[in-house]
Amino acid sequence: MDLGQFARKLQLRPRLRQAIAHLRWRLRHVVPHRPHGRDRTLIITLTSYAARFPTLHLTLRCLLTQSVRPDRVILWLGPDDLRQLPGSVRALEAEGLEIRETEDLRSYTKIIPALKEFPEAVLVTADDDVHYERHWLRALLTAWSGETDQIVCHRAHRFTLREDGTVAPYESWPHDIRNEPRPDLIFPTGVGGVLYPPGALAPEVTDAARFLELAPRADDLWLYWMGRRAGSHYRLVTHRQKLVVWPNSQARSLYAGNAQAGNDIQIAPLVACYGLPVPATRGPQD
């Protein structure tokens, strides 16, 4: 396959996923969706912003047509973005979507309001620009043991220390890992979706002044540290989800700025404040 053929294949992939999303939506009243079967409220929670609104309804339709039915799907928006919300998203309120106004906390908006309002619920975070397969939620629930100290994710990197016990540069961490013998080293990335049971994150997770000071553009880092402080461990789902981002949804990213050294800059104050989230010893990570 030459470079031109490869480029065309990449362009076709999002279009195919978009067609699948449309088909799932058309069949939503025909294809059954079973209850999740857990004894706690299950909520899918996410946020968005105006630059993503042209494709936001596609992601929301994916979340509303999961093979396992959540109790709620909540879209949290800051006041400015809420005023610009298009009809394609508003129409989904009739299909079960809840739209709530809240303080704009950048990427943290997808989980902090939900943690405050639904402390006893199982929260599943999602990104606003991704095609989620029909069994995405089911895979998270299947992998979850039911214990409140287990956080489950679709996609993760391996948190890595240097031989001297300091945190290795973020870009050197093994990315998109599939197996990791040490569950404390599984670093969830939010784009794939993460399941947080109640109590899986330390109480200070909702301290906006603290996380906006230490990691203002790195909610994944903050949530990882808070999970470790709560004594939680991590698990990857066994079924690999193919993540496809909608065309043009990345033209302007509100939460950009973490490439390369950006995460390292935010790791340093987290270590200074809370220490390392894993033991600084040699082991399977070396």
Side-chain angles (χ1 to χ4, degrees):
M1 181 183 298
D2 62 26
L3 185 60
Q5 290 175 317
F6 181 69
R8 286 190 293 273
K9 183 177 180 181
L10 288 180
Q11 291 171 356
L12 285 173
R13 185 177 297 173
R15 294 176 186 173
L16 176 60
R17 296 290 174 162
Q18 190 167 340
I20 292 172
H22 283 307
L23 180 60
R24 282 169 55 184
W25 189 247
R26 293 185 65 180
L27 297 175
R28 66 190 183 279
H29 299 307
V30 178
V31 179
H33 309 278
R34 66 179 178 85
H36 57 78
R38 300 286 179 159
D39 60 359
R40 293 181 181 270
T41 300
L42 177 67
I43 300 174
I44 296 177
T45 176
L46 73 161
T47 189
S48 190
Y49 57 101
R52 296 270 177 85
F53 286 172
T55 57
L56 175 59
H57 67 288
L58 296 173
T59 293
L60 292 170
R61 286 179 175 184
C62 290
L63 299 177
L64 291 166
T65 55
Q66 290 293 304
S67 59
V68 169
R69 185 172 60 250
D71 295 299
R72 311 173 87 150
V73 178
I74 304 179
L75 173 66
W76 304 90
L77 296 172
D80 291 341
D81 290 312
L82 185 60
R83 285 190 288 270
Q84 302 178 63
L85 200 62
S88 60
V89 176
R90 285 287 189 187
L92 298 179
E93 290 182 282
E95 302 290 340
L97 175 67
E98 297 181 39
I99 301 172
R100 297 201 174 198
E101 181 177 350
T102 189
E103 179 185 5
D104 186 354
L105 297 172
R106 301 171 70 96
S107 59
Y108 289 94
T109 310
K110 70 183 177 185
I111 187 169
I112 299 302
L115 285 169
K116 290 181 176 180
E117 189 155 346
F118 306 102
E120 298 304 317
V122 176
L123 301 179
V124 177
T125 61
D127 272 12
D128 62 343
D129 57 345
V130 177
H131 172 271
Y132 289 105
E133 296 179 5
R134 174 171 160 76
H135 299 303
W136 167 80
L137 182 58
R138 187 182 74 175
L140 287 169
L141 288 169
T142 300
W144 181 41
S145 67
E147 299 297 323
T148 56
D149 63 350
Q150 184 185 70
I151 296 169
V152 183
C153 59
H154 272 287
R155 183 174 182 270
H157 305 332
R158 180 197 291 174
F159 185 88
T160 305
L161 299 177
R162 297 187 180 97
E163 290 189 4
D164 64 2
T166 59
V167 181
Y170 180 83
E171 287 301 305
S172 72
W173 298 3
H175 283 207
D176 200 9
I177 59 174
R178 299 315 306 162
N179 295 290
E180 174 51 55
R182 281 184 54 179
D184 58 328
L185 298 182
I186 296 173
F187 175 81
T189 61
V191 64
V194 186
L195 182 152
Y196 295 98
L201 300 169
E204 63 263 41
V205 65
T206 57
D207 186 342
R210 181 60 60 87
F211 63 68
L212 291 176
E213 173 191 1
L214 300 177
R217 299 181 308 279
D219 58 296
D220 287 349
L221 290 171
W222 174 256
L223 294 170
Y224 176 70
W225 248 266
M226 292 299 102
R228 294 298 302 139
R229 282 180 63 76
S232 293
H233 56 285
Y234 301 84
R235 183 175 183 180
L236 274 163
V237 301
T238 55
H239 172 63
R240 188 182 182 89
Q241 296 277 320
K242 295 179 181 179
L243 297 178
V244 177
V245 176
W246 303 122
N248 303 317
S249 64
Q250 295 294 307
R252 182 174 68 86
S253 177
L254 178 67
Y255 315 129
N258 291 339
Q260 299 179 3
N263 275 316
D264 297 324
I265 291 171
Q266 295 172 95
I267 287 172
L270 286 169
V271 173
C273 183
Y274 296 114
L276 292 171
V278 298
T281 56
R282 298 177 66 90
Q285 67 169 329
D286 295 318

